[in-house]
């Protein structure tokens, strides 16, 4: 699935897409961010703004 301008998506929509991509094969957050042409720190900040943080052990964003 190609997504144009993922950085401009609503955070909740981006969360669903990111977690699906992480679940289906992106090795880690850094790989996914590079694939989606996003800064991983910016992505983490956007997810934190809606109450989610990246859990490396499960390779997903989870609610705090």
């Amino acid at each position: 699935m190609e997504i144009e301008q993922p950085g401009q998506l609503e955070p909740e929509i981006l969360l669903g897409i990111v977690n699906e991509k992480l679940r289906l094969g992106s090795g880690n957050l850094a790989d996914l961010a590079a694939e989606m042409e996003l800064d991983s720190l910016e992505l983490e900040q956007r997810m934190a703004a809606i109450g989610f943080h990246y859990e490396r052990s499960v390779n997903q964003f989870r609610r705090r």
Side-chain angles (χ1 to χ4, degrees):
M1 171 168 72
E2 288 294 317
I3 302 165
E4 292 185 25
Q5 301 178 341
Q8 294 182 8
L9 293 173
E10 292 295 320
E12 294 82 2
I13 302 295
L14 184 58
L15 171 67
I17 292 168
V18 164
N19 271 345
E20 180 178 2
K21 286 184 166 283
L22 288 168
R23 204 172 26 254
L24 295 177
S26 291
N28 57 45
L29 182 58
D31 291 346
L32 175 69
E35 175 186 325
M36 294 182 74
E37 298 180 358
L38 295 171
D39 177 84
S40 60
L41 181 57
E42 179 185 338
L43 180 56
E44 287 187 89
Q45 290 171 341
R46 289 191 67 198
M47 297 301 98
I50 60 170
F52 287 79
H53 70 283
Y54 180 68
E55 287 189 27
R56 185 176 317 225
S57 63
V58 293
N59 198 32
Q60 294 283 289
F61 279 93
R62 298 273 175 101
R63 187 166 296 281
R64 291 184 183 222

